[in-house]
Amino acid sequence: MVNGFECPIPISDYDRITLAHGGGGRLTHRLISQLFLHLFDNEYLRPLHDGAVLEMDGKMAVSTDGFVVSPIFFPGGNIGDLAVNGTLNDVAMCGAKPLYITLGFILEEGFRLKDLWEILVSIKKRSDEAGVKVITGDTKVVERGKGDGIYVHTTGFGRVLEGVEIGPHRVRPGDRIILSGPIAEHGIAIMSVREGLEFETPLKSDTMNLWPLVESILKAGKEDVHMLRDATRGGVASALNEIAKSAGAGIVIREEEIPVRDEVRGACEILGLDPLYVANEGKFIAIVSPERADELLDILRGVPGGEEARIIGEVVEESPGVVQMITAFGSRRVVDMLSGEQLPRIC
Amino acid sequence: MVNGFECPIPISDYDRITLAHGGGGRLTHRLISQLFLHLFDNEYLRPLHDGAVLEMDGKMAVSTDGFVVSPIFFPGGNIGDLAVNGTLNDVAMCGAKPLYITLGFILEEGFRLKDLWEILVSIKKRSDEAGVKVITGDTKVVERGKGDGIYVHTTGFGRVLEGVEIGPHRVRPGDRIILSGPIAEHGIAIMSVREGLEFETPLKSDTMNLWPLVESILKAGKEDVHMLRDATRGGVASALNEIAKSAGAGIVIREEEIPVRDEVRGACEILGLDPLYVANEGKFIAIVSPERADELLDILRGVPGGEEARIIGEVVEESPGVVQMITAFGSRRVVDMLSGEQLPRIC
């Protein structure tokens, strides 16, 4: 029994994935019908056809994402939580209410069936919370040593809210930059496990569904939200750089406005990491019109997960494509894109 | 230069994927903008946002598929050809014209950039041929030894043809079973490389886009095509078993009607494989109404790739869920679902 879900096939600690689970025969069929269909049963999945057929209309947002996080289980979640939240958040960043998700697994021979069940239960919980249906899936198995337990690929779909248009072309000088909360928690949670660090307050991943936050500001000011981006791989620094480059605009942020929890800052110092470049899985940046910025900030702060949102800077005319930070000492420095790899396999 | 496509960044034999290519920083950005965007440029992909926004209306078919084939390059294609054709074929099996595809890559550190380029060019060619746009993607890199060169995940979308309804609920006793051509070619092509077998006529994978074939019979008799299934993993035997089980109907096929090329049959004998269970990547089964079966067969034979289509059997009332074969000697035997794994990593 995991989180209230009983697995329909009895699983012992010794049951493991075999190559035959990916062969398209009897064992694949059993895995799909007894585990996947049992948990995710809905009208789209039930026919177990090669694909799902669904009615769509209007502007749909589609996003695809692969998850290779190591370790697979970490403080605050597992690869299943990340896969659902991460993909649906990308859909949300298009201004779209997430509706459907597809699941693809690459399993390594020898992976524990118990662990797979626990991940599937997390996927079930996160997708139920988000009101999202799993519509189709795929499972492949590779030989021992050719994978790393489990890799997950998800594609999410959602309907863009009426009248909403999110994109770099809408970013204008003067726009304010809202950050939805304190940064670097996901990356540090993963790194502290890998490095065997222990803290008084355990550091947990911030993985969460961002749609309720996004929806709150879109409903209050659909014209005033110009651009959205979650600050995942490469952290806030990379997300801001991508916005600056795609919008052809300059960005100036103030270091003292960027929230970082003390224990996260401490861990960053020990690990030699700059929190601006560390991955988040439950934080986003919204570029909004200056006239409504304070009001939208207040709304965001009223939604769970947005309590510590801040206006961290603004869009400027000078230095298009460049992100600058006014440091705590009042000097300016360029916040460049991450070059090289800081934290492999963070998501 | 690969197949007429020049790579925009000079690639030597020594250039390889590094962990930094998956870090979300500068190298990821370069990979995406200089390779992916260069090849697949279109209005959905160009904004390089987290997701793509597109207009959809009506019944859409969605299918997702992971590809872990080994070897990555094989006679008749590579993992890129398979990924596009395989996913779009699943969309086609829903009676839908494929329109869009997403691409997810899991690359192993050390993978040759040259090989990645060759695979991307194949993806470009196959998607262009099919009139399909690559709308969004994702790239992750895992450490050396945690993957196997490249794994690909694709999600395909298409619009279901007006008035078409494909599904096991439409299968009726008396319906004829059409097989689109000779079987077992993909699986045998892969296995002969793995086993180092050489034949006078080289055995090539049959990977192809099945939509033109499917479209031809749907346009001629949208009411008369009841069920479609491509015979991939687990071969024709598994596809027929899935149809029989999901439709709650019996199926009888005649061995002598099932086309197998001589060289494939020979290879199957050497390798100890039953061609009925060997994977195809360019063959499908159509369950059609008896009144129009001959006419639809003629139409299929007029389309490239369908010249050798045959009616191989029919749906019966007795033994629901069971597939039986009348052998060349006139006896009957049950064609069971594949149990265990015959050919790992065939797709």
Side-chain angles (χ1 to χ4, degrees):
Chain A
M1 182 93 88
V2 174
N3 271 321
F5 288 92
E6 182 96 54
C7 184
I9 47 177
I11 301 184
S12 86
D13 285 357
Y14 305 105
D15 287 324
R16 293 179 184 265
I17 290 289
T18 64
L19 284 173
H21 281 109
R26 199 186 300 279
L27 274 174
T28 307
H29 199 78
R30 207 164 91 176
L31 195 71
I32 292 171
S33 59
Q34 298 195 341
L35 295 190
F36 298 175
L37 195 54
H38 173 79
L39 268 182
F40 303 119
D41 183 46
N42 65 55
E43 68 273 31
Y44 305 110
L45 197 59
R46 207 168 304 133
L48 289 182
H49 197 36
D50 282 332
V53 173
L54 49 162
E55 287 286 340
M56 293 191 185
D57 61 89
K59 271 191 188 168
M60 299 290 297
V62 181
S63 186
T64 199
D65 233 334
F67 296 86
V68 298
V69 66
S70 171
I72 295 163
F73 298 90
F74 48 81
N78 63 48
I79 194 171
D81 299 287
L82 274 196
V84 176
N85 287 339
T87 296
L88 299 185
N89 287 347
D90 282 346
V91 170
M93 294 306 126
C94 299
K97 177 179 166 55
L99 295 171
Y100 309 111
I101 196 166
T102 69
L103 293 179
F105 296 101
I106 296 177
L107 304 174
E108 186 189 5
E109 183 189 11
F111 189 59
R112 296 197 335 160
L113 220 50
K114 248 186 150 166
D115 289 343
L116 177 61
W117 179 250
E118 191 172 336
I119 291 162
L120 291 174
V121 168
S122 293
I123 291 173
K124 164 76 175 163
K125 295 213 145 198
R126 296 295 89 78
S127 52
D128 277 0
E129 277 166 22
V132 159
K133 284 178 177 161
V134 174
I135 53 168
T136 188
D138 181 69
T139 306
K140 294 289 187 300
V141 180
V142 296
E143 306 91 327
R144 205 181 288 265
K146 300 293 184 188
D148 195 15
I150 181 170
Y151 297 141
V152 184
H153 244 106
T154 40
T155 301
F157 311 77
R159 189 170 290 114
V160 179
L161 288 201
E162 191 69 33
V164 165
E165 201 189 331
I166 305 293
H169 62 286
R170 297 208 53 220
V171 174
R172 287 171 301 201
D175 279 358
R176 299 297 190 265
I177 299 164
I178 295 178
L179 172 63
S180 70
I183 64 169
E185 292 174 7
H186 175 71
I188 290 302
I190 299 284
M191 288 307 286
S192 58
V193 179
R194 285 199 210 151
E195 303 288 329
L197 298 183
E198 282 188 31
F199 301 93
E200 271 178 51
T201 336
L203 298 175
K204 281 166 68 176
S205 167
D206 63 342
T207 177
M208 68 173 277
N209 171 18
L210 291 172
W211 174 246
L213 290 163
V214 170
E215 188 182 27
S216 73
I217 55 172
L218 288 177
K219 288 211 161 159
K222 62 183 174 197
E223 298 281 328
D224 299 292
V225 180
H226 298 159
M227 180 73 187
L228 295 165
R229 189 119 206 173
D230 53 346
T232 53
R233 268 192 294 184
V236 166
S238 299
L240 288 174
N241 266 283
E242 282 167 16
I243 295 172
K245 280 169 187 50
S246 60
I251 283 180
V252 175
I253 55 173
R254 285 174 296 279
E255 186 170 21
E256 58 191 12
E257 295 297 336
I258 296 167
V260 187
R261 283 192 220 291
D262 286 345
E263 59 270 30
V264 171
R265 193 181 295 283
C268 279
E269 278 168 17
I270 294 170
L271 295 165
L273 298 173
D274 180 343
L276 269 184
Y277 290 92
V278 176
N280 311 276
E281 289 290 339
K283 299 298 167 345
F284 71 101
I285 287 156
I287 312 281
V288 303
S289 63
E291 301 79 19
R292 303 281 310 279
D294 289 330
E295 192 187 332
L296 294 176
L297 180 66
D298 279 346
I299 290 167
L300 208 54
R301 285 182 165 168
V303 181
E307 299 86 347
E308 295 169 77
R310 298 273 271 275
I311 293 174
I312 62 163
E314 59 200 51
V315 178
V316 296
E317 235 159 318
E318 69 257 29
S319 308
V322 177
V323 179
Q324 297 181 71
M325 183 161 75
I326 301 171
T327 68
F329 308 105
S331 62
R332 277 193 180 212
R333 70 168 175 92
V334 170
V335 177
D336 209 350
M337 206 160 215
L338 184 65
S339 66
E341 171 59 307
Q342 192 191 38
L343 303 170
R345 297 185 56 187
I346 209 72
C347 61
Chain B
M1 183 93 85
V2 173
N3 269 321
F5 288 92
E6 181 97 53
C7 185
I9 47 178
I11 300 183
S12 86
D13 284 357
Y14 305 105
D15 287 325
R16 292 180 183 264
I17 289 290
T18 65
L19 285 172
H21 281 109
R26 198 187 300 278
L27 274 175
T28 307
H29 199 79
R30 208 165 89 177
L31 195 69
I32 292 170
S33 59
Q34 297 194 341
L35 295 191
F36 297 176
L37 195 55
H38 173 79
L39 267 183
F40 302 120
D41 184 46
N42 64 56
E43 67 273 32
Y44 305 110
L45 198 60
R46 207 169 304 131
L48 289 183
H49 197 35
D50 283 332
V53 172
L54 47 163
E55 287 286 341
M56 292 191 186
D57 61 88
K59 271 192 187 167
M60 298 290 296
V62 181
S63 186
T64 199
D65 233 333
F67 295 85
V68 298
V69 66
S70 171
I72 296 164
F73 297 90
F74 48 81
N78 63 48
I79 194 170
D81 300 286
L82 275 196
V84 176
N85 287 340
T87 296
L88 299 184
N89 287 348
D90 282 347
V91 169
M93 295 304 127
C94 299
K97 177 178 166 55
L99 295 171
Y100 309 112
I101 196 166
T102 70
L103 292 179
F105 296 101
I106 296 177
L107 304 175
E108 185 188 7
E109 182 188 12
F111 189 61
R112 294 195 340 160
L113 220 51
K114 248 187 150 166
D115 288 343
L116 177 61
W117 178 250
E118 190 172 339
I119 291 163
L120 291 174
V121 168
S122 293
I123 291 173
K124 165 77 175 165
K125 294 212 144 197
R126 296 294 91 77
S127 52
D128 277 0
E129 277 167 23
V132 159
K133 284 178 176 161
V134 174
I135 53 168
T136 187
D138 180 70
T139 307
K140 294 290 188 299
V141 180
V142 296
E143 306 90 326
R144 205 181 287 266
K146 300 293 184 188
D148 196 15
I150 181 169
Y151 296 143
V152 184
H153 244 106
T154 39
T155 301
F157 310 76
R159 189 171 291 114
V160 178
L161 287 201
E162 190 69 32
V164 166
E165 202 189 329
I166 304 294
H169 62 286
R170 297 207 55 220
V171 174
R172 287 171 304 198
D175 279 359
R176 298 297 190 264
I177 299 164
I178 296 179
L179 171 63
S180 70
I183 64 170
E185 293 173 9
H186 175 71
I188 290 302
I190 299 286
M191 288 307 286
S192 58
V193 179
R194 286 199 208 148
E195 304 288 328
L197 298 183
E198 281 186 33
F199 300 93
E200 270 179 52
T201 336
L203 298 174
K204 280 166 68 174
S205 167
D206 62 342
T207 179
M208 69 172 276
N209 171 19
L210 291 171
W211 175 246
L213 290 164
V214 169
E215 189 181 27
S216 73
I217 55 171
L218 288 177
K219 288 212 160 157
K222 62 184 173 195
E223 299 280 329
D224 299 292
V225 180
H226 298 159
M227 180 75 187
L228 296 165
R229 189 120 205 170
D230 52 345
T232 53
R233 268 192 296 184
V236 167
S238 299
L240 289 174
N241 267 282
E242 282 166 16
I243 295 172
K245 279 168 187 52
S246 59
I251 283 179
V252 176
I253 55 173
R254 283 173 298 278
E255 187 170 22
E256 58 189 12
E257 294 298 335
I258 297 167
V260 187
R261 284 192 219 289
D262 287 343
E263 58 270 30
V264 171
R265 193 182 295 282
C268 280
E269 278 167 18
I270 293 170
L271 295 164
L273 298 172
D274 179 343
L276 269 185
Y277 291 92
V278 176
N280 310 277
E281 289 290 339
K283 299 298 166 342
F284 70 102
I285 287 156
I287 312 282
V288 303
S289 62
E291 300 79 19
R292 304 282 310 279
D294 289 330
E295 192 187 332
L296 294 176
L297 179 66
D298 278 346
I299 289 167
L300 208 53
R301 285 183 165 169
V303 182
E307 299 86 348
E308 294 169 77
R310 299 275 270 275
I311 293 174
I312 62 163
E314 58 199 53
V315 178
V316 296
E317 233 159 321
E318 68 258 30
S319 309
V322 176
V323 179
Q324 297 181 73
M325 184 161 76
I326 301 171
T327 68
F329 307 105
S331 61
R332 277 195 181 212
R333 71 169 175 92
V334 169
V335 177
D336 209 351
M337 206 159 215
L338 185 65
S339 64
E341 171 60 308
Q342 193 192 37
L343 304 170
R345 299 186 54 190
I346 209 72
C347 61

